[in-house]
Amino acid sequence: MSAVAGTAAAVQELDGDQRAALDACVVAALALSSSEGEAQGRMRLLMECHGRYVRSFGVLEQAPSYEVFARRLRGSRVADLLPGRPQGSVLGKLWLLDDDGMPSSALHRLAVEASEHGHQAPGIGADIRHLHSLLRAVGMLPVSTGLSRISGETVQHAVFRALRTAGFEAYTRGREAMVRTPVLTRRDLSRNPALVELGAYTGISPTRQFGGLWAACPMCRWTMRATYRPNGVVDVECEDERHSLLGARYRAEPAVEGWRLVPCGELRTVPELLPVEGYVALPYALWLWVTLPGLLEVELRDRLVALGAEVRLWPFGDAYDLHVTRPGWSRGRCQDLGRPVRAGPEAARGSRGVWRAVLRGA
């Protein structure tokens, strides 16, 4: 598991003051790295964050001044920003902003998983507010509930339960669409009543567009993050660090026809630049907790179908992930997949060549 993927567990190990400090640092880093909204509003938010940050240090440890606080957000490891400087945490391997003040791959994830005030932050704040509205609409949050941290399990349960109300066929179709097509045209969305009723898709975030354009990650097909550099170039990179390391990162340069993408990694596939107008996307949290985990399940289904098997995704009310049927199959046949099947102890071969697979750690 990567350090970024371990943020939720690491936050649970912090005490109350450390969580409050982390919350303040995350929102301040988002405000510092964003150009969205008025400068006066961002400055007011930064001062509020510093006030919460100072209170988290109590009387036994002196908190840094605002100038030092703002400077340390750049290039400092997250653990070093917190009172008591927790040792042995994955937060000691992460930073919020690089030395140039650009956001890290961990920043948005911490805003969702570790921040009580992430809804105030520029950019990602709109995604978080949309998520809370969705959860209230499906009855998972009382109207009076404040905007606060929500776990991935809560989001998955709410979304999947809402999709099931339209019947299991609609549930499977809707869930697979959220995995395969985390970005849709408004016309395509209108053709899926279950997704329209759910209200999961929303406008493309300002943090993932530039010049009225956006680009999809070649691996997960979600909108890549767009970061403006001082020289006029825009870094375009998948929010998932694994996809970025595999090459889903580009440099957008001004060109005669508008913009062009130049690969910055080993992946030479260059995605098409598409207009923001007419498209809707899943918010960050649904991409993180629904799209990414579902990619392996859908890919495994496709590989098994190519081998001649009959496969059902999430059968029997999502009792498990894949129901695979092919008469005469033997256990050794699974080697044709080209990779081991990560199944738990529930995976078993029944009579008549029926396999049940419960994926672990996807």
Side-chain angles (χ1 to χ4, degrees):
M1 182 173 67
S2 69
V4 173
T7 55
V11 171
Q12 293 302 314
E13 297 175 354
L14 301 177
D15 62 32
D17 289 336
Q18 290 171 334
R19 291 185 192 180
L22 178 59
D23 179 13
C25 289
V26 167
V27 177
L30 287 164
L32 277 174
S33 60
S34 174
S35 58
E36 184 182 346
E38 297 181 355
Q40 184 177 2
R42 293 199 305 274
M43 180 56 66
R44 183 166 56 250
L45 180 58
L46 284 167
M47 298 305 295
E48 292 175 1
C49 289
H50 181 247
R52 294 199 299 269
Y53 186 68
V54 170
R55 288 195 296 273
S56 71
F57 278 77
V59 297
L60 299 179
E61 187 175 355
Q62 184 175 1
S65 65
Y66 172 78
E67 291 75 14
V68 175
F69 168 66
R71 186 172 66 248
R72 286 183 180 175
L73 289 175
R74 299 186 178 208
S76 295
R77 301 293 174 174
V78 174
D80 293 336
L81 295 169
L82 307 183
R85 296 191 177 186
Q87 302 298 312
S89 169
V90 298
L91 299 177
K93 302 177 182 179
L94 304 175
W95 60 91
L96 302 177
L97 303 174
D98 64 21
D99 292 334
D100 294 328
M102 298 295 108
S104 71
S105 59
L107 182 53
H108 282 175
R109 187 150 186 167
L110 284 167
V112 172
E113 294 183 331
S115 176
E116 298 285 348
H117 298 83
H119 60 280
Q120 298 177 343
I124 190 69
D127 275 9
I128 296 173
R129 292 191 295 273
H130 175 77
L131 177 64
H132 281 80
S133 297
L134 186 154
L135 293 178
R136 289 195 179 102
V138 300
M140 288 299 293
L141 287 179
V143 176
S144 59
T145 302
L147 298 174
S148 59
R149 290 182 293 118
I150 294 178
S151 70
E153 291 78 8
T154 299
V155 172
Q156 288 177 335
H157 176 68
V159 170
F160 297 161
R161 189 184 71 169
L163 287 175
R164 286 192 195 100
T165 61
F168 189 69
E169 183 178 345
Y171 166 79
T172 303
R173 186 169 59 250
R175 182 172 172 182
E176 184 174 359
M178 294 174 74
V179 174
R180 286 190 180 277
T181 53
V183 184
L184 288 168
T185 65
R186 294 185 182 275
R187 177 176 296 182
D188 287 340
L189 176 62
S190 68
R191 295 170 181 159
N192 193 318
L195 291 181
V196 172
E197 180 68 21
L198 179 62
Y201 287 76
T202 186
I204 294 176
S205 168
T207 62
R208 294 187 290 276
Q209 58 175 278
F210 58 98
L213 301 171
W214 68 278
C217 169
M219 299 177 188
C220 65
R221 303 182 186 89
W222 195 56
T223 53
M224 290 188 285
R225 182 176 70 240
T227 304
Y228 284 85
R229 295 289 181 179
N231 59 0
V233 170
V234 180
D235 288 343
V236 181
E237 183 176 10
C238 183
E239 294 272 10
D240 186 81
E241 61 177 344
R242 297 165 299 180
H243 296 173
S244 176
L245 289 172
L246 289 172
R249 58 184 188 275
Y250 304 87
R251 184 175 64 253
E253 299 177 342
V256 175
E257 64 278 12
W259 294 87
R260 67 186 183 98
L261 291 181
V262 178
C264 296
E266 295 182 4
L267 188 66
R268 309 318 292 176
T269 302
V270 178
E272 182 182 2
L273 290 174
L274 297 169
V276 171
E277 187 68 27
Y279 284 88
V280 288
L282 293 179
Y284 177 86
L286 292 185
W287 164 79
L288 177 65
W289 292 323
V290 176
T291 301
L292 286 183
L295 289 174
L296 177 59
E297 298 162 357
V298 171
E299 179 188 354
L300 184 55
R301 191 277 305 272
D302 292 346
R303 286 172 176 256
L304 288 166
V305 169
L307 293 173
E310 296 180 3
V311 184
R312 279 189 291 159
L313 281 169
W314 312 299
F316 307 111
D318 199 12
Y320 48 94
D321 296 317
L322 298 172
H323 189 84
V324 185
T325 306
R326 183 180 175 185
W329 251 20
S330 65
R331 184 176 297 273
R333 184 65 173 167
C334 284
Q335 295 175 357
D336 292 342
L337 293 173
R339 68 164 79 176
V341 180
R342 299 187 66 184
E346 296 90 342
R349 180 176 181 268
S351 59
R352 301 180 184 177
V354 176
W355 284 76
R356 180 178 69 177
V358 182
L359 302 181
R360 299 300 189 194

